[in-house]
Amino acid sequence: MPPTYVPLIATGRDVAFRNVTVAGTLAVTGPATLGDNLTVTGYTAIAAGQADGQFTMWSGAADTLRLGTAGGGLAVAEGTGATSGVATLAAGTVTVPTDKVTANSRIQLTVQSLGTVTTPQPVAVTARTAGASFTVTSADATDTSVVAWLIITPA
């Protein structure tokens, strides 16, 4: 049986570990850098944070990303350079400026509030310019409804 010990590490010193297994809870209270993969066999709970790279989640299951608590959800920031937002139709059309649109983007549209029409009209993406904008058009040329949009990029 390997020895059990608690290493004493001086504050402000870099420390390198190799092949460390943690049985129980690992709490990191300051910044941490991983230079390779992190494998978690249970679950990971992240209270808050950000990354300057990308996260890849894979479990081999069909529902790799699961929001598993009732009341939980997905929050997507809106604004310049965003992948979601709202746009108001004028004479049944609106061009949405966003550099996030690609030739393969899946753009989801939902009518949020009715403008000059009394019933929701079908809306569709009728044009796009990759890296610049996309156009939403209503079936009614007088429509001034507010339409929400969400861009999903295929992996």
Side-chain angles (χ1 to χ4, degrees):
M1 180 170 181
T4 301
Y5 63 93
V6 176
L8 179 59
I9 302 168
T11 301
R13 302 285 184 193
D14 289 338
V15 179
F17 295 100
R18 175 175 282 176
N19 299 326
V20 175
T21 299
V22 176
T25 301
L26 170 65
V28 178
T29 58
T33 302
L34 298 174
D36 204 345
N37 295 326
L38 171 66
T39 301
V40 178
T41 57
Y43 70 92
T44 302
I46 301 172
Q50 65 185 35
D52 61 359
Q54 70 179 24
F55 289 104
T56 300
M57 295 183 204
W58 182 81
S59 68
D63 57 350
T64 298
L65 177 60
R66 179 184 293 195
L67 304 174
T69 302
L74 181 64
V76 179
E78 296 181 351
T80 304
T83 57
S84 74
V86 292
T88 303
L89 298 169
T93 189
V94 64
T95 298
V96 178
T98 177
D99 61 354
K100 300 302 182 196
V101 68
T102 69
N104 297 321
S105 294
R106 308 313 190 235
I107 304 172
Q108 312 296 312
L109 303 172
T110 56
V111 174
Q112 299 297 294
S113 62
L114 299 178
T116 54
V117 295
T118 56
T119 58
Q121 298 299 303
V123 290
V125 174
T126 54
R128 74 177 76 202
T129 302
S133 65
F134 64 92
T135 301
V136 178
T137 303
S138 169
D140 185 319
T142 67
D143 197 347
T144 59
S145 297
V146 175
V147 177
W149 54 271
L150 173 67
I151 297 174
I152 299 173
T153 303

